[in-house]
Amino acid sequence: MKRLVVGPSWIGDMVMAQSLYKSLINREPGSKIHVVAPTWSIPVLGRMPEVDRILEFPVGHGELALKKRWEFGQKLQKEGYEQAIILPRSLKASLMPFFASIPLRTGYRGEWRFGLINDMRSFDSSILNQTVKRFVFLGLSSDKDELPSVPNPELFTDTENLLLVADRLKLNLEKQSVVMMPGAEYGPAKRWPIDKYAQLASRLVSVGLQVWILGSEKEARLGNAISNFVKNHNVINLCGKTSLEDVVDLIATAKVAVTNDSGLMHIAAAVKTHVIGLYGSSSPSFTPPLTETKDIFHLDLECSPCFRRECPLGHFRCMKNIEVGEICSAVITVLGGTKMEYQS
């Protein structure tokens, strides 16, 4: 079987999609998986051994680009795909497989896709209650209604690249590090307040730990706010100074990642770094870090999850009321020590 998968547009979803690829290969060893993906996601897909070929489609998020999709689809006709699995539920995501004349085009009902999708799936949200389950279910044949066990994503890491990055950024790989990911592309309602990240960083360096702050160039201001508050050389703002490949390898080096519900949280889970996940407007039931090594902090208030970009009530208690002390205790517990032990 040779399949084309139209990949999602968010980092976290792209990581979770690996569970689909693993499920397909487990059932059909030797089958081929090609993934159409935006440019930014190529480094993540490159760390998935199940993906045979990455087809870069450099179109911005939300852009229709009808002519580009038609031209791309025409080029794909010669590949001889037997099935396309369309993970996004948008109309535009289903155009390319249709233009490529792929005979079986599988996807969920949504956005007037009748005809474009000829293997239309509906889902029971009480069973497919997580994003990763919805991805894996699309890989089953249409007569299957029972979801198999869902394998966790596992990104491989590159030691050689890690050493190059550490040398370029003058990072000490011998010193025990905690990574912080204070950003969340979706919006501020998913972000633990930056002053709390700063207080946590201050406590961690006081007990002998090193803190790396990771994120995109847009999140550099968040990293600067933390490092400026602490004013300690062991708090290093790396936001915007690394590629996504570099971030994968740096996260894998740390034993603990303190993170909002974000794409980098899912990367941390996929490289087996212990995740301390902070949830506000979203839900750990719907998009949990797919790992056994995790601690989840979610207050489960009566107004959450609201899934809004900003707090609609203005109080933001779902994040503000998560205390620095309990997160710090969780980090130290994972590292197997106490404050006195780190000071010694």
Side-chain angles (χ1 to χ4, degrees), residues 286-323:
F286 187 58
T287 53
L290 300 174
T291 176
E292 302 305 315
T293 56
K294 62 189 173 188
D295 291 295
I296 300 299
F297 290 84
H298 178 231
L299 298 181
D300 197 22
L301 303 180
E302 67 280 356
C303 55
S304 63
C306 67
F307 298 107
R308 301 285 288 274
R309 293 179 185 270
E310 298 187 22
C311 176
L313 302 177
H315 55 65
F316 198 33
R317 287 189 291 116
C318 61
M319 278 298 206
K320 284 184 175 179
N321 289 3
I322 297 176
E323 298 297 335

Side-chain angles (χ1 to χ4, degrees), residues 72-114:
F72 203 91
Q74 293 295 294
K75 291 178 182 178
L76 293 180
Q77 285 190 6
K78 65 177 184 294
E79 294 290 339
Y81 296 115
E82 299 169 67
Q83 181 186 23
I85 298 176
I86 300 101
L87 297 184
R89 298 181 66 186
S90 64
L91 169 68
K92 58 184 176 294
S94 61
L95 290 171
M96 200 182 306
F98 177 77
F99 293 147
S101 302
I102 298 173
L104 182 64
R105 303 182 297 277
T106 302
Y108 288 117
R109 183 174 291 114
E111 267 198 16
W112 302 98
R113 306 202 295 181
F114 295 97

Side-chain angles (χ1 to χ4, degrees), residues 22-250:
K22 293 178 74 169
S23 296
L24 291 170
I25 296 299
N26 287 342
R27 289 200 310 275
E28 302 173 15
S31 58
K32 300 296 181 183
I33 298 173
H34 294 185
V35 180
V36 174
T39 303
W40 61 260
S41 65
I42 290 174
V44 172
L45 287 166
R47 299 302 183 92
M48 299 180 184
E50 301 81 10
V51 177
D52 293 282
R53 186 180 173 192
I54 304 165
L55 301 168
E56 179 184 3
F57 187 57
V59 169
H61 182 60
E63 184 182 349
L64 178 58
L66 185 60
K67 183 180 179 182
K68 288 183 180 178
R69 294 178 192 276
W70 181 81
E71 291 173 345
F72 203 91
Q74 293 295 294
K75 291 178 182 178
L76 293 180
Q77 285 190 6
K78 65 177 184 294
E79 294 290 339
Y81 296 115
E82 299 169 67
Q83 181 186 23
I85 298 176
I86 300 101
L87 297 184
R89 298 181 66 186
S90 64
L91 169 68
K92 58 184 176 294
S94 61
L95 290 171
M96 200 182 306
F98 177 77
F99 293 147
S101 302
I102 298 173
L104 182 64
R105 303 182 297 277
T106 302
Y108 288 117
R109 183 174 291 114
E111 267 198 16
W112 302 98
R113 306 202 295 181
F114 295 97
L116 300 176
I117 302 288
N118 60 10
D119 179 22
M120 189 78 76
R121 307 290 179 88
S122 57
F123 61 84
D124 182 344
S125 60
S126 65
I127 298 173
L128 303 178
N129 56 355
Q130 294 177 346
T131 298
V132 67
K133 293 180 181 179
R134 295 176 184 184
F135 289 169
V136 170
F137 191 73
L138 284 180
L140 303 178
S141 59
S142 58
D143 60 343
K144 301 290 185 183
D145 56 9
E146 185 174 338
L147 189 71
S149 60
V150 175
N152 288 340
E154 294 178 280
L155 302 178
F156 67 78
T157 56
D158 185 337
T159 302
E160 184 177 347
N161 182 60
L162 172 65
L163 295 175
L164 290 172
V165 174
D167 181 66
R168 175 171 61 85
L169 298 173
K170 303 297 186 286
L171 301 177
N172 182 359
L173 297 180
E174 300 301 320
K175 192 175 184 66
Q176 197 162 49
S177 300
V178 174
V179 293
M180 287 185 178
M181 287 87 91
E185 181 70 19
Y186 184 74
K190 293 180 74 173
R191 300 176 193 153
W192 198 40
I194 202 65
D195 64 306
K196 289 183 178 286
Y197 270 109
Q199 293 170 43
L200 176 63
S202 181
R203 294 191 190 193
L204 294 178
V205 297
S206 74
V207 297
L209 293 168
Q210 181 175 225
V211 174
W212 295 338
I213 307 165
L214 298 172
S216 68
E217 188 172 358
K218 290 188 293 185
E219 292 156 347
R221 60 181 181 82
L222 302 177
N224 285 334
I226 296 170
S227 59
N228 291 340
F229 176 88
V230 182
K231 292 183 172 63
N232 186 298
H233 70 278
N234 284 315
V235 176
I236 305 170
N237 179 18
L238 300 174
C239 295
K241 299 177 182 178
T242 55
S243 68
L244 197 50
E245 286 176 311
D246 300 338
V247 167
V248 171
D249 296 326
L250 289 170

Side-chain angles (χ1 to χ4, degrees), residues 260-281:
N260 306 321
D261 175 18
S262 66
L264 296 190
M265 178 191 75
H266 292 286
I267 287 177
V271 296
K272 303 191 186 318
T273 295
H274 190 103
V275 171
I276 295 180
L278 311 174
Y279 283 78
S281 65

